[in-house]
Amino acid sequence: MSAMLSAQGLSRRFGGVQAVHDMGLEVPEGSITGLIGPNGAGKSTLFNLLSGVIRPQSGLVQYKGQDVTRVAPYKRARLGLIRTFQLSREFGRLTVLENLMLSPQMQLGEKMWPLFTKARDVATADAKIYERALEVMEIAKLTPLRDAYAGDLSGGQKKLLELARTLMIDCDLILLDEPGAGVNPALMGALTEMIRSLNTDHGKTFLIVEHDMDLISRLCDPVVVMTEGTFLTSGPFDTIRDDPRVIKAYLGGAVDA
Ligand code: ADP
Ligand code: MG
């Protein structure tokens, strides 16, 4: 497997804090790669660097062999590299169907407000997008919630909707920051299944930051471990779990916290 996304020598400082230092990693094409590490290890900062939300002070990010280090997030999205975000307040006031139908337009980096006025006519919008939204709701098991406001969904249902939105756009690599956070145990299974199905049936590659080791162990291979802003090791979960350096990194983090 070749690397779909790779980073080399990435560093980013905030004032006196070196959040990420000389970090490198590879996300193999077709993989569900996990990213773990104790609190403050720099995982979220790395995600922001990979998606383009912030720029590194040094280092390189390559996506499909192309240098995207200085490419804006919406342009990375057009290239097929996306990051899911919590649904914003505004999107909470749209229905599940409307959220799905707006996703392809959002990817084009259009201004938000015209989209919200357009949302009212969403039922008469592009028939192809509508058809696709119906299919995607079936895949995500969201059909019964089609007219529910996104803001009224449970934490787990919102995560399913976020994942469903990625099926509305042409993306190849999805960055997920803590998909399991705020998801009740009953929906964890559905969420895990959905990620697996997006990977095996729809060809999406994932990079997932997650604290829930159960989710990591069930989905991710390889697992990359970060500590103190930099790469520690990577490999299959079972190998990582028994690595004394990994255990030490977590214990150290717990003592610091
Ligand atoms: P993780 O997601 O692994 O918990 P973060 O990337 O959030 O780690 O944080 C790494 C370090 O960088 C922490 O010490 C954190 O306090 C610091 N940090 C992150 N973002 C900022 C910021 N915007 N300003 C200042 N310090 C930050
Ligand atoms: Mg974080």
Side-chain angles (χ1 to χ4, degrees):
M1 285 193 289
S2 59
M4 175 167 272
L5 180 73
S6 70
Q8 289 134 44
L10 278 187
S11 295
R12 172 70 201 212
R13 164 183 291 277
F14 298 105
V17 180
Q18 190 70 51
V20 169
H21 174 67
D22 195 21
M23 174 66 191
L25 92 167
E26 291 203 338
V27 178
E29 183 170 357
S31 70
I32 304 177
T33 297
L35 177 64
I36 66 171
N39 275 333
K43 305 178 297 294
S44 295
T45 304
L46 178 65
F47 254 50
N48 289 333
L49 292 168
L50 296 175
S51 60
V53 174
I54 58 174
R55 300 272 165 91
Q57 269 118 9
S58 57
L60 180 69
V61 180
Q62 278 183 307
Y63 173 68
K64 294 180 179 172
Q66 181 183 343
D67 181 351
V68 295
T69 315
R70 319 241 148 231
V71 171
Y74 77 94
K75 286 187 184 157
R76 290 186 209 208
R78 283 185 195 167
L79 295 171
L81 192 183
I82 64 154
R83 172 184 181 156
T84 64
F85 281 98
Q86 294 281 91
L87 292 167
S88 69
R89 195 187 178 84
E90 287 78 14
F91 282 83
R93 297 199 207 111
L94 300 180
T95 66
V96 166
L97 176 63
E98 288 165 345
N99 267 279
L100 290 175
M101 293 189 68
L102 281 177
S103 299
Q105 291 158 300
M106 280 175 55
Q107 191 196 15
L108 302 177
E110 289 184 22
K111 292 270 180 301
M112 294 287 237
W113 284 111
L115 286 182
F116 296 128
T117 41
K118 246 189 243 174
R120 238 177 278 135
D121 309 322
V122 91
T124 55
D126 194 322
K128 260 198 221 150
I129 295 179
Y130 176 69
E131 290 301 322
R132 181 65 186 152
L134 297 185
E135 284 170 19
V136 166
M137 279 191 292
E138 279 297 308
I139 294 168
K141 302 186 173 68
L142 286 170
T143 307
L145 294 167
R146 119 185 207 149
D147 298 318
Y149 288 108
D152 292 338
L153 301 179
S154 75
Q157 290 166 336
K158 281 179 187 162
K159 293 286 164 65
L160 286 174
L161 177 55
E162 279 177 51
L163 284 170
R165 283 165 63 182
T166 66
L167 279 176
M168 294 298 299
I169 61 184
D170 242 352
C171 67
D172 300 309
L173 173 63
I174 303 167
L175 306 184
L176 296 178
D177 199 354
E178 300 193 32
V183 178
N184 72 42
L187 269 180
M188 259 324 239
L191 186 74
T192 309
E193 249 180 66
M194 173 97 188
I195 294 171
R196 192 185 297 290
S197 156
L198 289 177
N199 178 248
T200 48
D201 308 329
H202 302 274
K204 313 281 189 191
T205 299
F206 283 90
L207 177 63
I208 302 180
V209 169
E210 180 58 59
H211 287 296
D212 182 344
M213 290 300 157
D214 194 45
L215 185 147
I216 290 277
S217 71
R218 274 189 288 153
L219 284 178
C220 299
D221 188 15
V223 177
V224 175
V225 187
M226 242 185 129
T227 179
E228 295 176 353
T230 199
F231 178 90
L232 180 64
T233 185
S234 75
F237 180 77
D238 289 344
T239 314
I240 294 300
R241 185 191 46 197
D242 298 331
D243 186 328
R245 293 171 302 164
V246 175
I247 296 163
K248 184 163 171 273
Y250 271 89
L251 290 179
V255 170
D256 287 350

